[in-house]
Amino acid sequence: MSSKTYRLGILEGDGIGPEIVPSSVEIATAAAEAAGVSVDWVTLPLGASAIETHGTPVPEETKDALASLDGWYLGPHDSVSYPEPHKSALNPSGTLRKHFQLFANIRPAKSFPGAKAVCDNADLVIVRENTEGFYADRNTYAGTGEFMPTPDTAIMLGIITREATERVARVAFDLARSRRKKLTIVHKANVLKLTTGLFRTVCQEVAKDYPDVAVDDFHIDAMTVHLVRRAQDFDVIVTENMFGDILSDLAGEISGSLGTAPSINSSATTAMAQASHGSAPDIAGQNIANPVAMILSGAMLFEWLGAKHGDDKLAAVAKIIEQGVADAIAAGTSTRDLGGSASTTEFTAAVIKAIGAAR
């Protein structure tokens, strides 16, 4: 058993969150037990249910508690259905990313066995800068970077800074160095010359410290075409906030399904597991949601924690989770979006069974 007990938060969120997050935690608990890792799970209020109990989707007590944890699982949110003023405020995910300066959103897209992938051999990671760029709700100390001087004019601030770009670039280059040593910078410097031009320039400057990593760059519009035509040629992609959001959804679908697309959001000191997809309110409560993206996001969190703490057993938890998911699907158990008929709970049970069989 690992000498340290890791304390991880559970934020179920909205929509299918109360189905897929418990599934992920159940599987992570089984994997942690198999690897000899002690985990203390802490459930905290967030989302629509927190509005009812605390008057806000992200209570201060939740943020205070998260600050003392090693990391946490965040379920999807359905902020568009919140009552005002919460509907118009920064959503729960953005609030936590901004509050904890989770500047790196790391989103893998790997062709998944059993999924109907457009590209059968894609294996890439998109590293998205998470705190500024063309997401106006991240760009100001108070309020947002969107405003309307007249009822017929809306203005958005898009901010790129050297500091934020350099720190996310180093995360991306370190990741590329641990993979296939290829990195692609995505920008729009032919039109947004000062903003995304600065992003490209800073990334190229950081590249000088990584002479073993091959670097190229593409405009965002061209990159969408390249992903569709030859996703298998890319390794690590680094880009600003909005471009990264769009590209990662595209890459997730190309590699099989957003239902299998995981991600983590990290700073230098903490990380949050969060599936790339939304809350899917149209299927909430039906026990048919695909939990794979959330499960694999948890695996990413354990891998990140293993690297941070130098604990190989945490990395083993991640591998056990990943193998359990792969084994369950290979044995013929999957949810409807992957061509199967299993419910969320049936798929969860199949993964736990696979983990047990491999011990």
Side-chain angles (χ1 to χ4, degrees), residues 277-327:
H277 59 69
S279 62
D282 56 319
I283 62 169
Q286 299 179 41
N287 195 26
I288 60 174
N290 183 355
V292 168
M294 193 71 238
I295 295 166
L296 296 181
S297 296
M300 291 182 68
L301 176 60
F302 277 96
E303 185 175 17
W304 185 92
L305 287 169
K308 178 192 174 188
H309 294 281
D311 191 339
D312 291 340
K313 288 187 176 181
L314 289 172
V317 174
K319 296 298 183 186
I320 291 168
I321 293 172
E322 292 168 356
Q323 193 61 52
V325 170
D327 288 348

mmCIF file of all heavy atoms in Angstrom, residues 277-327:
data_model
loop_
_atom_site.group_PDB
_atom_site.id
_atom_site.type_symbol
_atom_site.label_atom_id
_atom_site.label_comp_id
_atom_site.label_asym_id
_atom_site.label_seq_id
_atom_site.Cartn_x
_atom_site.Cartn_y
_atom_site.Cartn_z
ATOM 1 N N HIS A 277 -16.788 16.282 -23.137
ATOM 2 C CA HIS A 277 -18.156 16.491 -23.611
ATOM 3 C C HIS A 277 -18.989 17.274 -22.601
ATOM 4 O O HIS A 277 -18.541 17.576 -21.482
ATOM 5 C CB HIS A 277 -18.820 15.151 -23.916
ATOM 6 C CG HIS A 277 -18.883 14.217 -22.745
ATOM 7 N ND1 HIS A 277 -19.676 14.431 -21.638
ATOM 8 C CD2 HIS A 277 -18.216 13.052 -22.492
ATOM 9 C CE1 HIS A 277 -19.530 13.448 -20.773
ATOM 10 N NE2 HIS A 277 -18.638 12.598 -21.264
ATOM 11 N N GLY A 278 -20.247 17.571 -22.989
ATOM 12 C CA GLY A 278 -21.148 18.325 -22.140
ATOM 13 C C GLY A 278 -22.028 17.443 -21.276
ATOM 14 O O GLY A 278 -21.783 16.249 -21.107
ATOM 15 N N SER A 279 -23.108 18.059 -20.756
ATOM 16 C CA SER A 279 -23.940 17.394 -19.746
ATOM 17 C C SER A 279 -25.048 16.532 -20.335
ATOM 18 O O SER A 279 -25.699 15.782 -19.602
ATOM 19 C CB SER A 279 -24.567 18.443 -18.826
ATOM 20 O OG SER A 279 -25.416 19.309 -19.571
ATOM 21 N N ALA A 280 -25.272 16.603 -21.654
ATOM 22 C CA ALA A 280 -26.261 15.757 -22.342
ATOM 23 C C ALA A 280 -27.577 15.647 -21.579
ATOM 24 O O ALA A 280 -28.004 14.553 -21.216
ATOM 25 C CB ALA A 280 -25.682 14.362 -22.598
ATOM 26 N N PRO A 281 -28.251 16.771 -21.317
ATOM 27 C CA PRO A 281 -29.491 16.710 -20.525
ATOM 28 C C PRO A 281 -30.592 15.884 -21.182
ATOM 29 O O PRO A 281 -31.494 15.399 -20.490
ATOM 30 C CB PRO A 281 -29.900 18.183 -20.402
ATOM 31 C CG PRO A 281 -29.207 18.884 -21.524
ATOM 32 C CD PRO A 281 -27.924 18.146 -21.720
ATOM 33 N N ASP A 282 -30.501 15.681 -22.501
ATOM 34 C CA ASP A 282 -31.540 14.917 -23.201
ATOM 35 C C ASP A 282 -31.533 13.436 -22.827
ATOM 36 O O ASP A 282 -32.553 12.752 -23.000
ATOM 37 C CB ASP A 282 -31.377 15.065 -24.718
ATOM 38 C CG ASP A 282 -29.999 14.655 -25.213
ATOM 39 O OD1 ASP A 282 -29.016 14.992 -24.535
ATOM 40 O OD2 ASP A 282 -29.910 14.010 -26.270
ATOM 41 N N ILE A 283 -30.404 12.940 -22.291
ATOM 42 C CA ILE A 283 -30.363 11.524 -21.898
ATOM 43 C C ILE A 283 -30.113 11.363 -20.400
ATOM 44 O O ILE A 283 -29.908 10.248 -19.918
ATOM 45 C CB ILE A 283 -29.296 10.735 -22.694
ATOM 46 C CG1 ILE A 283 -27.887 11.288 -22.426
ATOM 47 C CG2 ILE A 283 -29.605 10.741 -24.184
ATOM 48 C CD1 ILE A 283 -26.782 10.390 -22.969
ATOM 49 N N ALA A 284 -30.106 12.462 -19.664
ATOM 50 C CA ALA A 284 -29.835 12.401 -18.233
ATOM 51 C C ALA A 284 -30.873 11.556 -17.513
ATOM 52 O O ALA A 284 -32.066 11.595 -17.825
ATOM 53 C CB ALA A 284 -29.810 13.807 -17.638
ATOM 54 N N GLY A 285 -30.415 10.760 -16.559
ATOM 55 C CA GLY A 285 -31.302 9.956 -15.744
ATOM 56 C C GLY A 285 -31.782 8.675 -16.385
ATOM 57 O O GLY A 285 -32.562 7.925 -15.787
ATOM 58 N N GLN A 286 -31.303 8.380 -17.599
ATOM 59 C CA GLN A 286 -31.758 7.192 -18.322
ATOM 60 C C GLN A 286 -30.792 6.015 -18.204
ATOM 61 O O GLN A 286 -31.059 4.949 -18.745
ATOM 62 C CB GLN A 286 -31.987 7.529 -19.792
ATOM 63 C CG GLN A 286 -33.050 8.588 -20.030
ATOM 64 C CD GLN A 286 -33.215 8.911 -21.503
ATOM 65 O OE1 GLN A 286 -33.203 8.023 -22.363
ATOM 66 N NE2 GLN A 286 -33.369 10.196 -21.833
ATOM 67 N N ASN A 287 -29.654 6.220 -17.557
ATOM 68 C CA ASN A 287 -28.672 5.154 -17.367
ATOM 69 C C ASN A 287 -28.147 4.614 -18.700
ATOM 70 O O ASN A 287 -27.895 3.420 -18.846
ATOM 71 C CB ASN A 287 -29.271 4.003 -16.539
ATOM 72 C CG ASN A 287 -28.205 3.046 -16.002
ATOM 73 O OD1 ASN A 287 -27.054 3.423 -15.804
ATOM 74 N ND2 ASN A 287 -28.588 1.800 -15.797
ATOM 75 N N ILE A 288 -27.990 5.518 -19.670
ATOM 76 C CA ILE A 288 -27.462 5.095 -20.974
ATOM 77 C C ILE A 288 -26.207 5.879 -21.374
ATOM 78 O O ILE A 288 -25.635 5.633 -22.438
ATOM 79 C CB ILE A 288 -28.519 5.228 -22.095
ATOM 80 C CG1 ILE A 288 -28.986 6.680 -22.246
ATOM 81 C CG2 ILE A 288 -29.698 4.297 -21.834
ATOM 82 C CD1 ILE A 288 -29.919 6.900 -23.440
ATOM 83 N N ALA A 289 -25.780 6.829 -20.548
ATOM 84 C CA ALA A 289 -24.639 7.673 -20.903
ATOM 85 C C ALA A 289 -23.349 6.864 -20.931
ATOM 86 O O ALA A 289 -23.155 5.935 -20.144
ATOM 87 C CB ALA A 289 -24.506 8.819 -19.907
ATOM 88 N N ASN A 290 -22.470 7.237 -21.839
ATOM 89 C CA ASN A 290 -21.155 6.602 -21.945
ATOM 90 C C ASN A 290 -20.214 7.251 -20.925
ATOM 91 O O ASN A 290 -19.899 8.438 -21.036
ATOM 92 C CB ASN A 290 -20.613 6.801 -23.357
ATOM 93 C CG ASN A 290 -19.272 6.104 -23.580
ATOM 94 O OD1 ASN A 290 -18.695 5.541 -22.654
ATOM 95 N ND2 ASN A 290 -18.764 6.161 -24.795
ATOM 96 N N PRO A 291 -19.723 6.511 -19.945
ATOM 97 C CA PRO A 291 -18.838 7.095 -18.930
ATOM 98 C C PRO A 291 -17.361 7.062 -19.286
ATOM 99 O O PRO A 291 -16.525 7.496 -18.487
ATOM 100 C CB PRO A 291 -19.112 6.219 -17.703
ATOM 101 C CG PRO A 291 -19.364 4.858 -18.296
ATOM 102 C CD PRO A 291 -20.073 5.116 -19.621
ATOM 103 N N VAL A 292 -17.005 6.564 -20.481
ATOM 104 C CA VAL A 292 -15.595 6.320 -20.808
ATOM 105 C C VAL A 292 -14.752 7.586 -20.709
ATOM 106 O O VAL A 292 -13.653 7.573 -20.145
ATOM 107 C CB VAL A 292 -15.458 5.680 -22.208
ATOM 108 C CG1 VAL A 292 -13.997 5.705 -22.665
ATOM 109 C CG2 VAL A 292 -15.962 4.247 -22.180
ATOM 110 N N ALA A 293 -15.248 8.703 -21.251
ATOM 111 C CA ALA A 293 -14.453 9.938 -21.221
ATOM 112 C C ALA A 293 -14.152 10.355 -19.792
ATOM 113 O O ALA A 293 -13.033 10.779 -19.469
ATOM 114 C CB ALA A 293 -15.174 11.049 -21.967
ATOM 115 N N MET A 294 -15.135 10.240 -18.909
ATOM 116 C CA MET A 294 -14.925 10.612 -17.511
ATOM 117 C C MET A 294 -13.996 9.619 -16.824
ATOM 118 O O MET A 294 -13.121 10.010 -16.050
ATOM 119 C CB MET A 294 -16.275 10.662 -16.799
ATOM 120 C CG MET A 294 -16.233 11.339 -15.438
ATOM 121 S SD MET A 294 -15.980 13.118 -15.518
ATOM 122 C CE MET A 294 -14.485 13.295 -14.544
ATOM 123 N N ILE A 295 -14.171 8.344 -17.125
ATOM 124 C CA ILE A 295 -13.298 7.315 -16.544
ATOM 125 C C ILE A 295 -11.838 7.561 -16.929
ATOM 126 O O ILE A 295 -10.933 7.530 -16.089
ATOM 127 C CB ILE A 295 -13.735 5.912 -17.014
ATOM 128 C CG1 ILE A 295 -15.130 5.573 -16.486
ATOM 129 C CG2 ILE A 295 -12.730 4.854 -16.560
ATOM 130 C CD1 ILE A 295 -15.761 4.364 -17.170
ATOM 131 N N LEU A 296 -11.608 7.819 -18.223
ATOM 132 C CA LEU A 296 -10.245 8.033 -18.697
ATOM 133 C C LEU A 296 -9.680 9.377 -18.255
ATOM 134 O O LEU A 296 -8.454 9.525 -18.115
ATOM 135 C CB LEU A 296 -10.191 7.899 -20.219
ATOM 136 C CG LEU A 296 -10.533 6.510 -20.771
ATOM 137 C CD1 LEU A 296 -10.426 6.494 -22.290
ATOM 138 C CD2 LEU A 296 -9.628 5.437 -20.155
ATOM 139 N N SER A 297 -10.547 10.355 -18.018
ATOM 140 C CA SER A 297 -10.078 11.624 -17.435
ATOM 141 C C SER A 297 -9.523 11.366 -16.039
ATOM 142 O O SER A 297 -8.499 11.936 -15.640
ATOM 143 C CB SER A 297 -11.236 12.630 -17.356
ATOM 144 O OG SER A 297 -11.714 12.968 -18.644
ATOM 145 N N GLY A 298 -10.205 10.484 -15.297
ATOM 146 C CA GLY A 298 -9.686 10.090 -13.992
ATOM 147 C C GLY A 298 -8.343 9.417 -14.092
ATOM 148 O O GLY A 298 -7.438 9.662 -13.274
ATOM 149 N N ALA A 299 -8.180 8.562 -15.104
ATOM 150 C CA ALA A 299 -6.878 7.916 -15.314
ATOM 151 C C ALA A 299 -5.790 8.957 -15.571
ATOM 152 O O ALA A 299 -4.670 8.846 -15.046
ATOM 153 C CB ALA A 299 -6.963 6.929 -16.486
ATOM 154 N N MET A 300 -6.125 9.974 -16.357
ATOM 155 C CA MET A 300 -5.163 11.053 -16.611
ATOM 156 C C MET A 300 -4.789 11.766 -15.320
ATOM 157 O O MET A 300 -3.631 12.141 -15.115
ATOM 158 C CB MET A 300 -5.738 12.052 -17.611
ATOM 159 C CG MET A 300 -5.882 11.546 -19.021
ATOM 160 S SD MET A 300 -6.519 12.848 -20.122
ATOM 161 C CE MET A 300 -5.129 13.993 -20.158
ATOM 162 N N LEU A 301 -5.777 11.975 -14.450
ATOM 163 C CA LEU A 301 -5.502 12.631 -13.174
ATOM 164 C C LEU A 301 -4.536 11.807 -12.335
ATOM 165 O O LEU A 301 -3.580 12.341 -11.752
ATOM 166 C CB LEU A 301 -6.804 12.856 -12.406
ATOM 167 C CG LEU A 301 -6.661 13.443 -10.994
ATOM 168 C CD1 LEU A 301 -5.985 14.811 -11.034
ATOM 169 C CD2 LEU A 301 -8.030 13.540 -10.320
ATOM 170 N N PHE A 302 -4.737 10.487 -12.268
ATOM 171 C CA PHE A 302 -3.830 9.639 -11.499
ATOM 172 C C PHE A 302 -2.426 9.650 -12.102
ATOM 173 O O PHE A 302 -1.426 9.647 -11.372
ATOM 174 C CB PHE A 302 -4.383 8.217 -11.408
ATOM 175 C CG PHE A 302 -5.400 8.036 -10.321
ATOM 176 C CD1 PHE A 302 -6.758 8.115 -10.601
ATOM 177 C CD2 PHE A 302 -5.003 7.813 -9.015
ATOM 178 C CE1 PHE A 302 -7.702 7.963 -9.594
ATOM 179 C CE2 PHE A 302 -5.926 7.651 -7.997
ATOM 180 C CZ PHE A 302 -7.291 7.728 -8.283
ATOM 181 N N GLU A 303 -2.341 9.667 -13.430
ATOM 182 C CA GLU A 303 -1.030 9.724 -14.076
ATOM 183 C C GLU A 303 -0.328 11.038 -13.741
ATOM 184 O O GLU A 303 0.871 11.068 -13.452
ATOM 185 C CB GLU A 303 -1.190 9.569 -15.588
ATOM 186 C CG GLU A 303 0.125 9.495 -16.332
ATOM 187 C CD GLU A 303 -0.068 9.225 -17.818
ATOM 188 O OE1 GLU A 303 -1.184 9.400 -18.329
ATOM 189 O OE2 GLU A 303 0.924 8.822 -18.456
ATOM 190 N N TRP A 304 -1.085 12.136 -13.782
ATOM 191 C CA TRP A 304 -0.528 13.456 -13.457
ATOM 192 C C TRP A 304 -0.048 13.483 -12.006
ATOM 193 O O TRP A 304 1.045 13.969 -11.700
ATOM 194 C CB TRP A 304 -1.595 14.522 -13.697
ATOM 195 C CG TRP A 304 -1.110 15.932 -13.511
ATOM 196 C CD1 TRP A 304 -0.600 16.768 -14.460
ATOM 197 C CD2 TRP A 304 -1.104 16.684 -12.280
ATOM 198 N NE1 TRP A 304 -0.265 17.982 -13.912
ATOM 199 C CE2 TRP A 304 -0.564 17.963 -12.571
ATOM 200 C CE3 TRP A 304 -1.498 16.410 -10.973
ATOM 201 C CZ2 TRP A 304 -0.417 18.951 -11.605
ATOM 202 C CZ3 TRP A 304 -1.344 17.395 -10.004
ATOM 203 C CH2 TRP A 304 -0.809 18.650 -10.316
ATOM 204 N N LEU A 305 -0.860 12.956 -11.103
ATOM 205 C CA LEU A 305 -0.491 12.917 -9.693
ATOM 206 C C LEU A 305 0.745 12.045 -9.470
ATOM 207 O O LEU A 305 1.609 12.373 -8.640
ATOM 208 C CB LEU A 305 -1.655 12.388 -8.859
ATOM 209 C CG LEU A 305 -2.844 13.333 -8.674
ATOM 210 C CD1 LEU A 305 -4.025 12.588 -8.063
ATOM 211 C CD2 LEU A 305 -2.458 14.531 -7.805
ATOM 212 N N GLY A 306 0.832 10.940 -10.218
ATOM 213 C CA GLY A 306 2.001 10.081 -10.094
ATOM 214 C C GLY A 306 3.280 10.807 -10.458
ATOM 215 O O GLY A 306 4.308 10.667 -9.778
ATOM 216 N N ALA A 307 3.229 11.605 -11.539
ATOM 217 C CA ALA A 307 4.399 12.372 -11.951
ATOM 218 C C ALA A 307 4.733 13.447 -10.927
ATOM 219 O O ALA A 307 5.907 13.679 -10.602
ATOM 220 C CB ALA A 307 4.147 12.995 -13.322
ATOM 221 N N LYS A 308 3.709 14.102 -10.397
ATOM 222 C CA LYS A 308 3.938 15.178 -9.425
ATOM 223 C C LYS A 308 4.556 14.652 -8.140
ATOM 224 O O LYS A 308 5.482 15.249 -7.586
ATOM 225 C CB LYS A 308 2.616 15.886 -9.110
ATOM 226 C CG LYS A 308 2.778 16.992 -8.069
ATOM 227 C CD LYS A 308 1.453 17.504 -7.547
ATOM 228 C CE LYS A 308 1.692 18.492 -6.404
ATOM 229 N NZ LYS A 308 0.451 18.889 -5.725
ATOM 230 N N HIS A 309 4.042 13.530 -7.639
ATOM 231 C CA HIS A 309 4.476 13.001 -6.346
ATOM 232 C C HIS A 309 5.581 11.958 -6.457
ATOM 233 O O HIS A 309 6.054 11.457 -5.438
ATOM 234 C CB HIS A 309 3.282 12.407 -5.603
ATOM 235 C CG HIS A 309 2.249 13.410 -5.207
ATOM 236 N ND1 HIS A 309 2.390 14.229 -4.115
ATOM 237 C CD2 HIS A 309 1.063 13.751 -5.780
ATOM 238 C CE1 HIS A 309 1.328 15.018 -4.004
ATOM 239 N NE2 HIS A 309 0.515 14.752 -5.004
ATOM 240 N N GLY A 310 5.967 11.620 -7.684
ATOM 241 C CA GLY A 310 6.981 10.591 -7.861
ATOM 242 C C GLY A 310 6.533 9.246 -7.331
ATOM 243 O O GLY A 310 7.331 8.473 -6.799
ATOM 244 N N ASP A 311 5.238 8.955 -7.497
ATOM 245 C CA ASP A 311 4.647 7.726 -6.973
ATOM 246 C C ASP A 311 4.239 6.819 -8.131
ATOM 247 O O ASP A 311 3.224 7.053 -8.801
ATOM 248 C CB ASP A 311 3.433 8.077 -6.105
ATOM 249 C CG ASP A 311 2.907 6.889 -5.311
ATOM 250 O OD1 ASP A 311 3.187 5.742 -5.705
ATOM 251 O OD2 ASP A 311 2.206 7.103 -4.306
ATOM 252 N N ASP A 312 5.021 5.781 -8.366
ATOM 253 C CA ASP A 312 4.760 4.876 -9.485
ATOM 254 C C ASP A 312 3.425 4.138 -9.335
ATOM 255 O O ASP A 312 2.827 3.723 -10.326
ATOM 256 C CB ASP A 312 5.887 3.861 -9.626
ATOM 257 C CG ASP A 312 7.194 4.489 -10.083
ATOM 258 O OD1 ASP A 312 7.137 5.605 -10.644
ATOM 259 O OD2 ASP A 312 8.257 3.880 -9.871
ATOM 260 N N LYS A 313 2.964 3.990 -8.100
ATOM 261 C CA LYS A 313 1.702 3.283 -7.893
ATOM 262 C C LYS A 313 0.522 4.069 -8.449
ATOM 263 O O LYS A 313 -0.478 3.487 -8.880
ATOM 264 C CB LYS A 313 1.496 2.987 -6.409
ATOM 265 C CG LYS A 313 2.427 1.894 -5.879
ATOM 266 C CD LYS A 313 2.075 1.504 -4.463
ATOM 267 C CE LYS A 313 2.953 0.353 -3.990
ATOM 268 N NZ LYS A 313 2.599 -0.061 -2.606
ATOM 269 N N LEU A 314 0.626 5.393 -8.452
ATOM 270 C CA LEU A 314 -0.438 6.205 -9.038
ATOM 271 C C LEU A 314 -0.478 6.027 -10.554
ATOM 272 O O LEU A 314 -1.557 5.957 -11.155
ATOM 273 C CB LEU A 314 -0.237 7.677 -8.685
ATOM 274 C CG LEU A 314 -0.501 8.048 -7.232
ATOM 275 C CD1 LEU A 314 -0.069 9.479 -6.966
ATOM 276 C CD2 LEU A 314 -1.975 7.877 -6.879
ATOM 277 N N ALA A 315 0.704 5.953 -11.159
ATOM 278 C CA ALA A 315 0.758 5.673 -12.597
ATOM 279 C C ALA A 315 0.174 4.298 -12.888
ATOM 280 O O ALA A 315 -0.478 4.085 -13.918
ATOM 281 C CB ALA A 315 2.199 5.763 -13.095
ATOM 282 N N ALA A 316 0.381 3.346 -11.963
ATOM 283 C CA ALA A 316 -0.185 2.009 -12.130
ATOM 284 C C ALA A 316 -1.709 2.054 -12.076
ATOM 285 O O ALA A 316 -2.378 1.321 -12.813
ATOM 286 C CB ALA A 316 0.352 1.077 -11.046
ATOM 287 N N VAL A 317 -2.276 2.906 -11.221
ATOM 288 C CA VAL A 317 -3.733 3.071 -11.177
ATOM 289 C C VAL A 317 -4.252 3.496 -12.545
ATOM 290 O O VAL A 317 -5.245 2.965 -13.053
ATOM 291 C CB VAL A 317 -4.150 4.099 -10.102
ATOM 292 C CG1 VAL A 317 -5.657 4.362 -10.168
ATOM 293 C CG2 VAL A 317 -3.775 3.620 -8.714
ATOM 294 N N ALA A 318 -3.567 4.472 -13.144
ATOM 295 C CA ALA A 318 -3.980 4.958 -14.467
ATOM 296 C C ALA A 318 -3.971 3.825 -15.495
ATOM 297 O O ALA A 318 -4.923 3.671 -16.274
ATOM 298 C CB ALA A 318 -3.059 6.093 -14.917
ATOM 299 N N LYS A 319 -2.908 3.027 -15.495
ATOM 300 C CA LYS A 319 -2.801 1.924 -16.460
ATOM 301 C C LYS A 319 -3.890 0.879 -16.232
ATOM 302 O O LYS A 319 -4.459 0.326 -17.187
ATOM 303 C CB LYS A 319 -1.426 1.278 -16.363
ATOM 304 C CG LYS A 319 -0.272 2.187 -16.736
ATOM 305 C CD LYS A 319 -0.346 2.647 -18.188
ATOM 306 C CE LYS A 319 0.868 3.487 -18.553
ATOM 307 N NZ LYS A 319 0.729 4.053 -19.938
ATOM 308 N N ILE A 320 -4.188 0.607 -14.978
ATOM 309 C CA ILE A 320 -5.230 -0.385 -14.662
ATOM 310 C C ILE A 320 -6.593 0.095 -15.146
ATOM 311 O O ILE A 320 -7.377 -0.672 -15.707
ATOM 312 C CB ILE A 320 -5.247 -0.665 -13.147
ATOM 313 C CG1 ILE A 320 -3.974 -1.406 -12.730
ATOM 314 C CG2 ILE A 320 -6.476 -1.472 -12.753
ATOM 315 C CD1 ILE A 320 -3.757 -1.484 -11.234
ATOM 316 N N ILE A 321 -6.881 1.386 -14.940
ATOM 317 C CA ILE A 321 -8.153 1.946 -15.420
ATOM 318 C C ILE A 321 -8.242 1.829 -16.936
ATOM 319 O O ILE A 321 -9.246 1.362 -17.490
ATOM 320 C CB ILE A 321 -8.296 3.418 -14.989
ATOM 321 C CG1 ILE A 321 -8.447 3.531 -13.466
ATOM 322 C CG2 ILE A 321 -9.505 4.069 -15.678
ATOM 323 C CD1 ILE A 321 -8.398 4.956 -12.947
ATOM 324 N N GLU A 322 -7.191 2.267 -17.622
ATOM 325 C CA GLU A 322 -7.193 2.249 -19.083
ATOM 326 C C GLU A 322 -7.361 0.828 -19.622
ATOM 327 O O GLU A 322 -8.125 0.595 -20.565
ATOM 328 C CB GLU A 322 -5.892 2.869 -19.606
ATOM 329 C CG GLU A 322 -5.769 4.356 -19.339
ATOM 330 C CD GLU A 322 -4.365 4.869 -19.602
ATOM 331 O OE1 GLU A 322 -3.475 4.043 -19.913
ATOM 332 O OE2 GLU A 322 -4.148 6.085 -19.487
ATOM 333 N N GLN A 323 -6.637 -0.117 -19.023
ATOM 334 C CA GLN A 323 -6.711 -1.501 -19.491
ATOM 335 C C GLN A 323 -8.077 -2.094 -19.202
ATOM 336 O O GLN A 323 -8.617 -2.867 -20.006
ATOM 337 C CB GLN A 323 -5.623 -2.339 -18.833
ATOM 338 C CG GLN A 323 -5.432 -3.710 -19.484
ATOM 339 C CD GLN A 323 -5.029 -3.604 -20.948
ATOM 340 O OE1 GLN A 323 -4.076 -2.902 -21.278
ATOM 341 N NE2 GLN A 323 -5.771 -4.288 -21.827
ATOM 342 N N GLY A 324 -8.658 -1.748 -18.065
ATOM 343 C CA GLY A 324 -9.990 -2.246 -17.725
ATOM 344 C C GLY A 324 -11.042 -1.803 -18.718
ATOM 345 O O GLY A 324 -11.902 -2.584 -19.130
ATOM 346 N N VAL A 325 -10.969 -0.540 -19.134
ATOM 347 C CA VAL A 325 -11.899 -0.019 -20.138
ATOM 348 C C VAL A 325 -11.702 -0.740 -21.468
ATOM 349 O O VAL A 325 -12.664 -1.188 -22.109
ATOM 350 C CB VAL A 325 -11.713 1.503 -20.315
ATOM 351 C CG1 VAL A 325 -12.489 2.012 -21.526
ATOM 352 C CG2 VAL A 325 -12.158 2.244 -19.058
ATOM 353 N N ALA A 326 -10.446 -0.850 -21.895
ATOM 354 C CA ALA A 326 -10.147 -1.520 -23.167
ATOM 355 C C ALA A 326 -10.605 -2.973 -23.152
ATOM 356 O O ALA A 326 -11.181 -3.469 -24.134
ATOM 357 C CB ALA A 326 -8.652 -1.431 -23.464
ATOM 358 N N ASP A 327 -10.368 -3.664 -22.034
ATOM 359 C CA ASP A 327 -10.737 -5.076 -21.941
ATOM 360 C C ASP A 327 -12.256 -5.258 -21.972
ATOM 361 O O ASP A 327 -12.762 -6.201 -22.608
ATOM 362 C CB ASP A 327 -10.173 -5.691 -20.663
ATOM 363 C CG ASP A 327 -8.660 -5.873 -20.712
ATOM 364 O OD1 ASP A 327 -8.081 -5.740 -21.804
ATOM 365 O OD2 ASP A 327 -8.067 -6.134 -19.645
#
